[in-house]
Amino acid sequence: MTAQLNPRGDVAVLVPAAGAGVRLGPGAPKALRLLAGEPLLVHAVRRIAAAPSVHTIVVAAPATEVEAVRAMLAPVAPVTVVSGGAERQESVAAALAAVPAGPEMVLVHDAARALTPPHLVESVAAAVRDGHDAVIPVLPVVDTIKEVDATERVLGTVDRSALRAVQTPQGFRRSVLVAAHRSAGDALTDDAGLIEKQGGAVMCVPGSELALKITRPFDMALAEHLLTTGA
């Protein structure tokens, strides 16, 4: 059954999905790799569409796969599909330009975080709604972190209490994200980084263990296991 988005929602979600995913090994673009028989992108969009605040979803697909992605997602949710760019920042900008009038909050979400629960979408949106310009979901860093030099000699141990591992979706006031992309210089792999670079404040909310990023074959195997346990 096709999900119905909320026509009174105040959130647009952008999904840059044009990356190759070389660390997963040879094959289709990463967002189109199969997880338990369905593309990562399908899993991601299904969970986004289940968040009550979502009004619009825009996917930036590989340029050669736009029609295929549009057909793939049609049974999942009403999604706008545009052609992505060679870099993530270009894909986000293309998706951002396709957001219709209405939503004043924009969330940017990695298709590779295919198991992200709808409540995390709502949590990020709520923090932006409360007045923050930019919001990111994070988890504490639990491993010991060492600083090393070019020869791999340890220089010291980093205090992990002040470190956070960043996830998506990242949320923004729409006007702030539009201005950040207009002023962007060097390409960044993180939209909150654009805000930081331009002097803006970025706030954190608790992330989710289920929002893991599927980057390596091991991550894919872990995600498959999580799906079998009801994630």
Side-chain angles (χ1 to χ4, degrees):
M1 179 181 296
T2 304
Q4 298 302 309
L5 304 183
N6 183 0
R8 296 185 178 182
D10 56 0
V11 174
V13 182
L14 316 182
V15 186
V22 293
R23 283 175 289 182
L24 269 177
K30 180 160 67 170
L32 305 184
R33 304 287 182 99
L34 297 184
L35 170 64
E38 293 185 302
L40 294 176
L41 182 58
V42 168
H43 288 280
V45 167
R46 183 180 293 126
R47 285 161 174 75
I48 293 167
S53 296
V54 175
H55 174 282
T56 299
I57 302 172
V58 183
V59 171
T64 59
E65 302 287 348
V66 171
E67 291 304 323
V69 169
R70 191 172 287 134
M72 174 195 307
L73 294 176
V76 181
V79 175
T80 299
V81 182
V82 300
S83 179
E87 302 292 340
R88 184 181 189 278
Q89 191 170 307
E90 295 172 357
S91 293
V92 173
L96 183 58
V99 175
E104 291 304 320
M105 283 184 285
V106 176
L107 275 58
V108 184
H109 185 52
D110 294 334
R113 298 185 188 274
L115 303 187
T116 298
H119 72 76
L120 188 57
V121 175
E122 291 298 308
S123 177
V124 172
V128 179
R129 202 176 285 123
D130 284 345
H132 298 296
D133 285 346
V135 176
I136 56 174
V138 301
L139 292 176
V141 174
V142 296
D143 291 325
T144 298
I145 304 297
K146 299 288 186 182
E147 181 184 4
V148 301
D149 64 17
T151 68
E152 295 297 311
R153 178 175 177 270
V154 172
L155 300 177
T157 302
V158 179
D159 179 8
R160 68 187 180 196
S161 67
L163 301 178
R164 298 293 182 270
V166 180
Q167 301 179 319
T168 70
Q170 299 182 354
F172 309 89
R173 279 201 301 121
R174 182 174 180 170
S175 59
V176 169
L177 187 61
V178 168
H181 274 269
R182 283 177 180 162
S183 303
D186 297 336
L188 296 176
T189 58
D190 173 80
D191 291 278
L194 290 177
I195 309 299
E196 295 169 41
K197 192 172 182 180
Q198 295 170 22
V202 179
M203 300 301 294
C204 299
V205 296
S208 168
E209 297 285 357
L210 291 175
L212 73 158
K213 187 174 184 180
I214 299 172
T215 302
R216 305 157 299 166
F218 174 81
D219 304 323
M220 189 73 84
L222 176 57
E224 294 233 12
H225 171 72
L226 290 171
L227 280 174
T228 66
T229 62

